[in-house]
Amino acid sequence: VAAADARSVRLLARNLSNMTSPADLDELHQAIKRGDLPALRAYLERGGSIVARDRYGWTPLFMAAKQGHTPMVRMLLHAGADPNQGGAGGFTPLVAAGLSGSAESVDALLDAGADPSVAWGQSLIEVMRQQGRSRIVELLELALARQRGRAV
């Protein structure tokens, strides 16, 4: 089996199995709130689920994005987390990163394929304009232009 195939099988097995107990998930979310990158690495190395949701419907990627912890966002994306997997209320990790004010997390999520046209009654780009987050607006505009197939 090729290395890429082996990695895909490992990711699939991790995502299909629910190896994360509620206690593990609570511990993980506390580590994310603290920005504890070694704890996240240990969680992933022992096979912790990247799709497990807490009682609010939030995944580890959503939590990391919500906290604006870009290194954690990157680590979870590298582990195979879906940048478009929504949580409660239709919020995605991109929305969480934008609302946290982390342009770096927004950029990482967009690079991983997050949908820049996400909306939940209003578009993320409009909310970012209202909040004066010009760097995030710029990133979203570029991603939307690429999505529409226009060169910027």
Side-chain angles (χ1 to χ4, degrees):
V1 177
D5 291 337
R7 182 173 186 270
S8 295
V9 168
R10 284 193 307 275
L11 287 172
L12 180 61
R14 180 185 300 157
N15 290 331
L16 291 177
S17 65
N18 189 1
M19 299 173 67
T20 306
S21 71
D24 284 345
L25 195 56
D26 285 343
E27 182 180 323
L28 171 67
H29 284 228
Q30 291 305 314
I32 290 172
K33 285 180 184 179
R34 291 189 311 270
D36 189 342
L37 202 56
L40 175 60
R41 184 175 293 112
Y43 169 84
L44 293 171
E45 287 173 354
R46 71 175 183 262
S49 174
I50 56 175
V51 296
R53 295 175 182 268
D54 71 2
R55 64 181 175 259
Y56 303 109
W58 296 348
T59 63
L61 179 60
F62 183 94
M63 276 295 294
K66 181 178 180 285
Q67 297 298 319
H69 292 311
T70 305
M72 290 182 153
V73 167
R74 287 190 179 116
M75 183 179 286
L76 288 160
L77 290 168
H78 181 75
D82 181 354
N84 292 305
Q85 184 175 27
F91 291 105
T92 65
L94 184 62
V95 171
L99 294 175
S100 81
S102 175
E104 296 81 13
S105 291
V106 167
D107 195 30
L109 289 158
L110 289 170
D111 284 347
D115 182 1
S117 65
V118 65
W120 66 99
Q122 56 186 331
S123 69
L124 178 58
I125 196 167
E126 287 305 316
V127 173
M128 295 297 97
R129 280 189 184 116
Q130 291 167 5
Q131 292 184 0
R133 299 185 189 265
S134 58
R135 177 65 183 137
I136 294 174
V137 169
E138 179 184 316
L139 291 168
L140 291 168
E141 285 174 341
L142 289 169
L144 285 165
R146 280 192 298 269
Q147 188 181 59
R148 288 189 289 264
R150 286 188 274 154
V152 175

